[in-house]
Amino acid sequence: MTASGAAETACAFCAIAAGEQPAPVVLSDGVATAFLDRRPVFKGHVLVVPARHVETLPELPAPLVGPFFERVRAVSAAVERGLAAGGTFVAMNNRISQSVPHLHVHVVPRNRKDGLRGFFWPRVRYDGDDEAESYAERIRRALGPSV
């Protein structure tokens, strides 16, 4: 947490992790929360955020790096299994291009010839909350007790 606690109060990702703001969550424990991106590159695009509010990777305390990336790894495997994706694209920004100033890792399902090229990230929308929740459920089932 930050010294003032103000960042957590105003942070949308902290609100999701605390259950104060709704989102299709696929994983939540004391280390990380993973939930579907509201504007996914492809349906099933997950954001993994540390439970502790930090803005960038260098600010994540060293003892938390390994456990956090274990969650990223598990979510990546679950996205592939749960969505029958050919692979995943895993990425993060530090400050530049961060739409929310809270460290987050994108886990995007990929398939050959899916149209994603370079760093141009077109965005799609879910047909509604039910469709988003169905993607989240598939990923949750694939995660199982792996974390």
Side-chain angles (χ1 to χ4, degrees):
M1 295 193 188
T2 61
S4 70
E8 292 89 342
T9 304
C11 177
F13 290 172
C14 286
I16 291 170
E20 298 165 358
Q21 184 170 323
V25 173
V26 301
L27 174 143
S28 187
D29 61 17
V31 174
T33 298
F35 52 92
L36 295 184
D37 192 308
R38 289 181 333 137
R39 293 182 14 202
V41 173
F42 297 117
K43 292 177 181 181
H45 175 169
V46 176
L47 299 179
V48 183
V49 305
R52 178 179 185 165
H53 182 86
V54 295
E55 290 188 16
T56 64
L57 184 59
E59 295 169 22
L60 186 65
L64 299 178
V65 172
F68 177 70
F69 279 97
E70 288 173 13
R71 277 37 174 208
V72 172
R73 178 178 168 268
V75 168
S76 177
V79 165
E80 284 188 37
R81 282 191 313 270
L83 304 180
T88 59
F89 173 67
V90 178
M92 100 174 55
N93 293 300
N94 281 298
R95 289 193 181 85
I96 305 302
S97 295
Q98 265 187 315
S99 57
V100 174
H102 184 125
L103 175 64
H104 55 283
V105 176
H106 297 262
V107 179
V108 180
R110 295 294 314 273
N111 288 293
R112 292 200 183 281
K113 300 186 181 191
D114 60 17
L116 188 62
R117 300 206 184 284
F119 287 98
F120 172 69
W121 291 19
R123 299 298 184 131
V124 298
R125 293 200 179 277
Y126 292 100
D127 292 333
D129 291 345
D130 289 342
E131 183 185 32
E133 184 54 38
S134 74
Y135 275 81
E137 178 58 28
R138 289 162 58 191
I139 296 167
R140 277 193 299 270
R141 275 197 314 264
L143 265 171
S146 65
V147 184

